[in-house]
């Protein structure tokens, strides 16, 4: 019934915790766990094959990016439902079952995502409006003030993250989707190596007239940024490429201005 697809890149210890959380309290519905490793050098694949032989471990051979690796995992399975899950998450018992129940309870929805919390249980700003110049600025300002604990913004964000509703996108760190919807939109767009692929994917699902559900009653722990910290300059470059690709696809009239802005700030390398 369900395929859990996890992409790994040099996060062996985090990946081991993710797999342990799934093995300790597995979902009740029939499922398969798939790890697609993007050329890790830290023994991630050996750990998976030695400790979790029931997990399908796929060696991508190189760092193919988040979207392409997830697509490999999706195509290697044949379930009705697919859960994209980051390798730096911990899933409590019953969370996946509850997320599946919520998606099934809303036949108009193609995607559902839980509330993500950090190691201290603090909610993560993991939902939002469709990315565009105004919405992106609003989200970044809100996120910065929320991270600094500014009272009015913190209270508003926490209220928002406690309310179940339809949203434009949910984070790809934990995203449940019907396979039929994923395949209808061509899976994840592989132009997005890292970042914004989840926003684009949800936009494609919504364009089909389907809905995206935020389910705050389900919580998943997300220790974000582990892969990014391993190679911060490469992660920043990947973010810039995805950012530009997103605007080229969804806001082409803003694309040139964004390129000029990044070049002016010295954040865009030619070629």
């Amino acid at each position: 019934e369900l395929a859990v697809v996890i992409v790994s890149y040099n996060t062996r210890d985090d990946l081991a915790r993710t797999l342990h959380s799934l093995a300790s309290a597995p979902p009740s519905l029939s499922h398969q766990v798939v790890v697609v490793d993007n050329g890790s050098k830290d023994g991630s694949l050996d750990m998976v094959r030695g400790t979790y032989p029931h997990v399908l471990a796929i060696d991508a051979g190189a760092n193919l990016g988040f979207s392409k690796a997830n697509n490999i995992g999706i195509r290697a399975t044949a379930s009705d439902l697919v859960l994209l899950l980051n390798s730096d998450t911990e899933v409590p018992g019953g969370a996946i079952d509850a997320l599946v129940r919520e998606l099934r309870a809303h036949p108009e929805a193609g995607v559902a995502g839980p509330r993500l919390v950090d190691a201290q249980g603090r909610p993560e700003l993991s939902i939002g409006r469709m990315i565009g110049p105004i919405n992106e600025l609003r989200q970044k300002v809100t996120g910065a003030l929320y991270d600094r604990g500014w009272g009015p913004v913190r209270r508003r964000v926490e209220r928002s993250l406690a309310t179940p509703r339809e949203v434009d996108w949910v984070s790809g760190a934990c995203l449940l989707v019907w396979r039929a919807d994923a395949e209808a939109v061509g899976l994840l767009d592989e132009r997005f190596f890292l970042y914004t692929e989840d926003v684009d994917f949800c936009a494609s699902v919504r364009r089909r007239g389907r809905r995206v559900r935020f389910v705050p009653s389900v919580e998943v722990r997300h220790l974000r940024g582990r892969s990014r910290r391993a190679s911060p300059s490469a992660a920043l470059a990947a973010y810039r490429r995805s950012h530009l690709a997103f605007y080229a696809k969804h806001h082409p009239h803003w694309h040139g201005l964004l390129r000029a802005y990044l070049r002016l700030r010295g954040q865009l390398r030619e070629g």
Side-chain angles (χ1 to χ4, degrees):
E1 296 174 275
L2 172 72
V4 181
V5 179
I6 304 170
V7 173
S8 172
Y9 179 62
N10 291 325
T11 57
R12 183 184 62 184
D13 293 343
D14 288 326
L15 176 62
R17 280 189 288 271
T18 300
L19 293 174
H20 177 73
S21 72
L22 292 172
S24 298
S28 62
L29 68 168
S30 59
H31 64 281
Q32 179 181 24
V33 179
V34 181
V35 171
V36 182
D37 187 79
N38 261 340
S40 296
K41 306 300 183 185
D42 63 354
S44 292
L45 273 177
D46 291 338
M47 180 276 295
V48 175
R49 289 166 175 162
T51 310
Y52 299 97
H54 62 285
V55 171
L56 174 60
I58 300 174
D59 184 358
N63 189 2
L64 304 181
F66 187 75
S67 294
K68 191 167 187 176
N70 267 306
N71 288 346
I72 289 172
I74 295 171
R75 292 186 180 110
T77 60
S79 57
D80 289 335
L81 289 160
V82 176
L83 180 70
L84 305 183
L85 187 66
N86 269 23
S87 62
D88 56 0
T89 57
E90 294 180 16
V91 184
I96 294 176
D97 289 325
L99 195 61
V100 169
R101 282 196 301 271
E102 181 71 12
L103 185 59
R104 286 175 169 167
H106 293 272
E108 76 284 359
V111 170
R115 182 160 78 161
L116 300 179
V117 299
D118 64 17
Q120 288 71 47
R122 182 170 175 264
E124 177 183 324
L125 194 55
S126 59
I127 59 174
R129 298 178 181 178
M130 178 61 175
I131 287 180
I134 302 301
N135 287 339
E136 187 174 13
L137 178 61
R138 182 188 294 115
Q139 181 106 352
K140 286 184 175 180
V141 171
T142 299
L145 294 174
Y146 177 62
D147 288 341
R148 292 171 186 167
W150 195 54
V153 170
R154 178 178 55 81
R155 288 189 291 272
R156 179 166 60 85
V157 169
E158 289 179 352
R159 282 196 303 271
S160 171
L161 296 175
T163 306
R165 64 188 189 281
E166 291 180 3
V167 294
D168 283 352
W169 59 268
V170 295
S171 171
C174 185
L175 184 154
L176 180 69
V177 61
W178 288 106
R179 178 179 295 273
D181 287 298
E183 292 181 345
V185 301
L187 305 186
L188 279 73
D189 189 332
E190 296 179 6
R191 282 177 287 185
F192 302 105
F193 185 87
L194 186 65
Y195 303 110
T196 71
E197 69 290 316
D198 43 11
V199 183
D200 173 77
F201 182 66
C202 289
S204 297
V205 171
R206 287 188 296 105
R207 251 192 315 270
R208 298 188 65 240
R210 304 285 278 156
R211 300 290 182 262
V212 177
R213 292 287 303 176
F214 173 55
V215 189
S217 58
V218 179
E219 283 192 354
V220 170
R221 191 179 183 213
H222 184 207
L223 306 175
R224 57 181 175 173
R226 301 300 182 100
S227 294
R228 183 170 63 245
R229 284 197 291 272
S231 185
S233 60
L236 178 59
Y239 169 73
R240 294 302 180 203
R241 289 196 300 273
S242 290
H243 198 194
L244 284 165
F246 189 92
Y247 271 77
K249 179 176 180 178
H250 295 280
H251 307 290
H253 50 291
W254 285 95
H255 178 254
L257 186 61
L258 177 60
R259 285 186 64 88
Y261 170 74
L262 293 175
R263 188 177 293 112
L264 185 64
R265 296 195 62 187
Q267 296 178 358
L268 181 65
R269 296 177 181 177
E270 292 300 330

